[in-house]
Each structure stands twice: as C-alpha cells, then as structure tokens.
Amino acid sequence: MDRPDQIAKEATTFFQRQAETNHRQMNTIINAHSQELLDDFSQTISRLVIQAQHLQKESGKKAIKYFSVAYLRSSIITKTYELQFSLLDKSYFADLVECCVYCGVNPLTSHIETKYAAFLTAMKKNVMQLHAYEVDGLWREQILKDCNDVMKPFFAKHIKRIAEVSGIGNLSLADEVLFVFGGYMDRCVRLGSRRSS
C-alpha cells in the first residue's frame, strides 16, 4: 500500500470511529448556543437586507430569487469557519450585482479546532513522519460534511423566520424566493421557499 492510500485508510478509520460522537457534540453545542447563533444570524441578515435595499435602489439589482446560506471552504484554511449569506437574482451565482455578508459560527470554532488537533495527533501515531499538509484536504472534506449535517437542520428550521423578521419582504422579490444551503459555488439543497402574497 502506498503512502497516500495508507493515509486515506487511517483517516477513514478515525472519522468512522469519531462520527457519532462528533455529531452528538456538535448538536449539543448548537442547542446550547442556539439563541446566540440566532441573534448573530439575525443581525447579519438584517445587514444583508439593508445592503440589498440599497443595491436595488442604486445599482439596479434585480428581484431576489435565491437566499443562499453557503459554507466557505477557504474559511477552514483561515480557521474562521464562516458562512456566506447571499441574496441572488434568477441568475443565481452569475448575478451581476453581488449582495452578500459573512458570519462565523463561533460556538463551534473551538470544538472544530480541538477535533482537528485530536485527528492530527492520531494520524501521526499511525503514519510515520506525517506532515499536516498530507491530511488537511481529508480533514476539510470531513469537517464540512459534519458541519453540514448539524447546520442544515438548524437553518431549515429557522432561516425563513429570520429572513422575515429581518425585513426580506421589503425587497423587490421574485414570485417565489428559494432558500438554499450548501457550499459556495457548489451543491446546495433547498430548505424551503417564500411565495409572494
């Protein structure tokens, strides 16, 4: 077995052993800090709506068709663990007038960093002279999956209400606004929709 295969095998074994515990811990953190997260997201989305109002008046931003909540792969490298909230027209990510804001998931940050340290330590025990760069890609993929698994139901439950309270109804909207969650410029899932009255 060559080195990349050995590293991948060891990482898979580690992730499989830790998956249930990690999801449970992340869900516990989300539940314990749900009001803090809701407050942070509400403030962020309020700023987003204000930005969109300005862009619709001054820059010709078209009617909003998509409300996107996207995780950013780059934020794992920078250790900021940010989400991007975007209001997009029917062109989706080809929208010519960008309207987005960023918000971290601070309650999860220290947990994620602790899990990374445990992962790296375990991997170094099983793979000779392992360097962090050899496993960082595997770690990024796994932590995105784990964060997705816990944040998707949170947003599915709360995003429409937060958007309404933040004033999305004051914007020029398409007949149906779709709320989506996933990776920036990557796969997304539909969380729900808002139809114009």
Side-chain angles (χ1 to χ4, degrees):
M1 180 183 309
D2 65 2
R3 186 174 177 84
D5 290 339
Q6 180 193 7
I7 290 170
K9 182 180 176 188
E10 292 293 337
T12 300
T13 301
F14 177 87
F15 295 142
Q16 287 171 342
R17 281 196 316 259
Q18 297 293 316
E20 187 177 330
T21 302
N22 193 35
H23 285 161
R24 187 172 56 249
Q25 290 171 342
M26 291 176 93
N27 277 316
T28 299
I29 292 167
I30 295 292
N31 291 334
H33 295 275
S34 63
Q35 192 56 54
E36 177 187 342
L37 287 166
L38 288 170
D39 291 345
D40 286 351
F41 295 151
S42 292
Q43 290 174 6
T44 301
I45 293 168
S46 291
R47 287 195 324 269
L48 179 65
V49 168
I50 291 168
Q51 180 184 357
Q53 284 176 321
H54 174 74
L55 290 171
Q56 285 183 331
K57 287 179 186 172
E58 304 296 327
S59 302
K61 182 161 184 67
K62 296 178 183 169
I64 304 303
K65 173 69 177 170
Y66 297 96
F67 186 118
S68 169
V69 181
Y71 57 79
L72 304 170
R73 292 176 185 276
S74 60
S75 75
I76 294 172
I77 296 167
T78 61
K79 301 181 185 299
T80 55
Y81 306 103
E82 289 180 316
L83 297 168
Q84 179 182 5
F85 295 89
S86 302
L87 292 172
L88 307 157
D89 69 17
K90 66 181 180 182
S91 302
Y92 200 48
F93 281 114
D95 188 341
L96 295 175
V97 182
E98 183 178 36
C99 183
C100 62
V101 292
Y102 302 90
C103 187
V105 287
N106 297 330
L108 285 176
T109 301
S110 61
H111 170 76
I112 292 169
E113 286 302 300
T114 300
K115 286 294 179 182
Y116 175 72
F119 168 66
L120 196 55
T121 299
M123 290 296 293
K124 285 183 175 183
K125 286 180 184 175
N126 295 315
V127 180
M128 297 277 297
Q129 297 180 341
L130 182 78
H131 300 282
Y133 69 82
E134 293 178 283
V135 294
D136 279 352
L138 298 169
W139 170 256
R140 283 194 296 273
E141 290 301 316
Q142 185 64 38
I143 203 61
L144 284 173
K145 180 186 176 307
D146 290 348
C147 285
N148 246 353
D149 289 347
V150 297
M151 293 307 294
K152 183 169 61 176
F154 182 86
F155 283 116
K157 182 177 180 181
H158 298 290
I159 195 65
K160 285 172 60 177
R161 184 183 56 76
I162 295 173
E164 289 298 336
V165 170
S166 300
I168 194 170
N170 299 329
L171 299 173
S172 172
L173 302 172
D175 291 339
E176 182 180 33
V177 176
L178 302 178
F179 292 87
V180 296
F181 175 78
Y184 175 71
M185 305 285 275
D186 199 353
R187 290 186 206 169
C188 289
V189 294
R190 183 174 161 171
L191 300 177
S193 63
R194 179 194 191 277
R195 292 189 179 276
S196 297
S197 308

